[in-house]
Amino acid sequence: MHEFSVASGIVDSVLAEAGKHGAKKVTKIVLEIGQLSMISVDQLVFALEILIEGTAAEGAKIDCRILPLKIECDKKHAGEIIPEKKDMYSLTRRLKCPVCGESAKPLGGRECMIKEITAE
Amino acid sequence: MHVIGMGKDVFEINKKIAERNRKTFDEAGVLAINFMGAIGSGKTAMIEVLHKKLKGYRIAAIAGDIISDLDANRLKKLGIPVIGVNTGKECHLDAHLVEHAVDHFDLSDVDILFVENVGNLICPVDFDLGTQLNVTIVSVSEGDDTVEKHPMIFVSSDAAVINKIDIAEAVGADAEKMRKDALHINSKLNVFMTSIRKDKGIDVFADWIIKEKEKRK
């Protein structure tokens, strides 16, 4: 359970960026989360909603997007996996090269990015 | 109203510090090993027994715990330099905590640094510490489905240690299944089957550590 500390880092960065642009209010925060990140999106959004209370970002819409997983196999074939289910079990079972079926390694997938914010 | 592009990775600071730690270890000729595993899997006991096996190597340890200094005190009894790190509410060590702990060592007196992470199979995965090796210890008493239930930590590990194999039958666990699951998740994983109490498989694991250490000379 490290969603709260991650959320705290996000709020600090968002408020600093908004301040840099002279914005008075943040109305939307767009996040991109890698599928192999161990962050629980529901818990992250819950923590963010609590942490933005009383700040310039209070009430901002939080848009959490899950990034497709890019993979590469030993033969250097590259591909993307978008699992039908979000759970980790189905995901790791599918870490196989879409071209040759060999086991593949993820290229990234651990991202937790603040893509953009909307401010006024 | 305007959109401000940020493209900021929340884990970026941790990654940067981890790279810095890795450089520090490489330059000092120290092999740093992150020991991850659940509570009671045998992380502290493994460091204790490896200290005996790795004779001729100067060992140091960082012991991560939520609040107590019990593990740090256990390791101090080995007569090695130990820094205890309390994470407070956090369920994992991060690169920043390790960097601060490393400040307390004279790395020119260290050959192998064991970093004992907080007992957890989930959260440490997101936090690279900058150690050159990551090892996950899992005991048969956690259930023989533990490996397949926590795939990501094995994806991020260089070695998996299936520990307490002497009691596998008593707890109804199939240690071989755990080994196969680990290799199924990560075919490049070095898997060791150990029992600290019966001194089984520890020499093989210690030899692997020595090989990794010598490779970096």
Side-chain angles (χ1 to χ4, degrees):
Chain A
M1 165 58 179
H2 49 276
E3 284 73 10
F4 203 81
S5 56
V6 169
S8 171
I10 292 171
V11 173
D12 288 348
S13 297
V14 164
L15 294 177
E17 191 70 17
K20 228 191 289 175
H21 288 79
K24 290 204 169 54
K25 190 156 178 54
V26 177
T27 54
K28 190 176 177 186
I29 302 169
V30 181
L31 305 172
E32 289 182 333
I33 312 287
Q35 291 192 31
L36 296 184
S37 151
M38 301 307 275
I39 291 170
S40 154
V41 170
D42 290 346
Q43 286 182 7
L44 181 67
V45 172
F46 178 67
L48 282 169
E49 283 171 351
I50 291 169
L51 286 165
I52 57 178
E53 277 175 21
T55 74
E58 181 163 349
K61 182 176 185 301
I62 295 159
D63 181 359
C64 248
R65 299 170 187 172
I66 307 295
L67 294 174
L69 178 63
K70 291 187 171 60
I71 57 160
E72 184 185 79
C73 76
D74 289 345
K75 291 174 185 163
K76 301 285 173 204
H77 298 137
E80 272 189 3
I81 302 180
I82 304 167
E84 293 129 27
K85 288 187 205 167
K86 278 192 216 156
D87 69 276
M88 207 64 77
Y89 310 137
S90 65
L91 190 56
T92 46
R93 270 204 294 269
R94 293 177 59 168
L95 280 186
K96 297 216 178 300
C97 174
V99 181
C100 64
E102 290 293 312
S103 74
K105 64 172 184 213
L107 299 173
R110 307 261 175 89
E111 300 82 359
C112 177
M113 304 281 295
I114 311 168
K115 188 177 188 299
E116 61 189 36
I117 57 174
T118 305
E120 54 189 41
Chain B
M1 186 187 292
H2 59 296
V3 175
I4 304 167
M6 285 184 64
K8 185 182 169 61
D9 185 351
V10 178
F11 292 136
E12 186 182 83
I13 296 168
N14 188 74
K15 282 178 195 159
K16 272 190 190 154
I17 301 171
E19 282 312 318
R20 207 153 68 205
N21 289 348
R22 214 174 334 268
K23 198 166 166 255
T24 303
F25 296 138
D26 283 340
E27 285 175 0
V30 172
L31 173 63
I33 308 176
N34 175 21
F35 274 57
M36 301 177 285
I39 297 162
S41 58
K43 298 183 292 299
T44 317
M46 188 58 81
I47 294 172
E48 286 171 332
V49 71
L50 284 173
H51 169 254
K52 275 188 218 154
K53 300 280 182 186
L54 296 167
K55 284 198 166 51
Y57 291 92
R58 296 165 303 170
I59 310 291
I62 295 172
D65 247 322
I66 300 208
I67 50 165
S68 77
D69 53 5
L70 294 173
D71 285 352
N73 287 340
R74 251 174 83 177
L75 295 174
K76 275 178 190 161
K77 286 184 187 151
L78 301 174
I80 61 172
V82 178
I83 299 297
V85 177
N86 285 145
T87 58
K89 62 181 178 176
E90 293 289 345
C91 43
H92 56 271
L93 286 179
D94 60 35
H96 185 243
L97 289 169
V98 169
E99 185 180 45
H100 276 292
V102 167
D103 278 346
H104 295 278
F105 294 116
D106 180 355
L107 288 182
S108 63
D109 287 337
V110 179
D111 296 316
I112 299 170
L113 173 67
F114 292 120
V115 182
E116 183 184 340
N117 217 312
V118 178
N120 188 315
L121 285 170
I122 302 155
C123 306
V125 175
D126 275 340
F127 295 87
D128 182 4
L129 303 183
T131 50
Q132 295 104 325
L133 293 175
N134 294 301
V135 174
T136 300
I137 303 183
V138 56
S139 67
V140 295
S141 51
E142 292 160 48
D144 58 16
D145 54 357
T146 295
V147 174
E148 62 174 326
K149 278 160 71 177
H150 299 90
M152 279 316 299
I153 200 156
F154 296 97
V155 170
S156 332
S157 293
D158 301 287
V161 177
I162 315 291
N163 194 25
K164 307 189 190 179
I165 53 167
D166 54 313
I167 60 162
E169 206 184 320
V171 297
D174 180 351
E176 183 56 22
K177 174 191 181 304
M178 298 170 83
R179 191 184 72 83
K180 282 185 185 152
D181 285 346
L183 286 170
H184 178 72
I185 291 163
N186 178 355
S187 59
K188 292 186 174 65
L189 207 57
N190 295 277
V191 185
F192 302 96
M193 311 293 277
T194 61
S195 160
I196 295 171
R197 288 180 69 186
K198 303 278 178 190
D199 192 15
K200 272 191 188 158
I202 310 290
D203 285 323
V204 185
F205 181 40
D207 284 347
W208 177 74
I209 292 174
I210 290 169
K211 204 182 77 199
E212 289 291 329
K213 167 68 187 143
E214 297 305 315
K215 223 161 69 175
R216 287 169 172 81
K217 269 199 170 160

